[in-house]
Amino acid sequence: MSEITLKEALEDALHKEQMAYEFYMQLHDMLKDLGAKAIIKELASEEVKHKEMIEEAIKTGKIEHIGMETKYYSSDLGISKMVLPQVITDDMSVQDVLRIAMKHEDNSRVFYEKLAEKFAGSEAEEFFRRMAVEEATHRNKIQNIYDDIVYNEN
């Protein structure tokens, strides 16, 4: 494992959150389905909240207070492991958009889990674990929406 400072890790996380926001906004701009657009817009706003938390941590040098009240218990429905569309198009189904979003959130969860491993035994580990939980929460929320849509259609 290569060494990385906490500041560098936070800067990487900030960059990841900015890229996630841009991804969701590009997806939002190309979609036609209003329901899918609303879901994607909400996900983009969550990425903004993450960016703000990380920016505050970088600015103050303090991470111990961020997200410490967060508690979430859930299980992965496994939907994000389904085959994804190869190309994003403006006429994609809501299900395809949701599957892409789930996979994106799951990748973010893994990113934060790896950072938590790098900072094992420190306050930073707890912060990155909480960020991983945030991403898993988003993925699970999307999975539940997906499940509701598929269930209602069948």
Side-chain angles (χ1 to χ4, degrees), residues 74-132:
S74 179
S75 60
D76 183 1
L77 299 176
I79 299 169
S80 62
K81 295 174 180 66
M82 297 170 71
V83 176
L84 294 177
Q86 294 296 314
V87 178
I88 297 173
T89 61
D90 63 355
D91 61 345
M92 292 179 80
S93 71
V94 175
Q95 289 96 330
D96 283 344
V97 170
L98 291 173
R99 287 183 11 233
I100 289 169
M102 280 184 269
K103 187 63 175 177
H104 187 78
E105 295 297 327
D106 205 39
N107 289 342
S108 294
R109 176 192 55 81
V110 170
F111 170 82
Y112 284 117
E113 286 174 350
K114 289 185 184 291
L115 283 177
E117 289 170 12
K118 284 186 180 264
F119 289 92
S122 71
E123 288 177 341
E125 176 187 12
E126 179 65 17
F127 173 73
F128 292 126
R129 292 226 180 271
R130 292 202 179 269
M131 291 300 291

Side-chain angles (χ1 to χ4, degrees), residues 36-86:
K37 284 178 87 81
I39 293 165
I40 295 303
K41 184 85 171 194
E42 184 179 335
L43 290 169
S45 71
E46 290 296 324
E47 303 303 341
V48 170
K49 290 176 191 173
H50 290 171
K51 281 176 37 183
E52 290 169 352
M53 285 191 327
I54 295 166
E55 286 170 340
E56 182 68 15
I58 291 170
K59 180 180 163 186
T60 64
K62 297 179 182 178
I63 58 170
E64 68 275 0
H65 66 285
I66 298 176
M68 293 300 146
E69 70 286 349
T70 303
K71 287 185 181 177
Y72 186 80
Y73 304 96
S74 179
S75 60
D76 183 1
L77 299 176
I79 299 169
S80 62
K81 295 174 180 66
M82 297 170 71
V83 176
L84 294 177
Q86 294 296 314

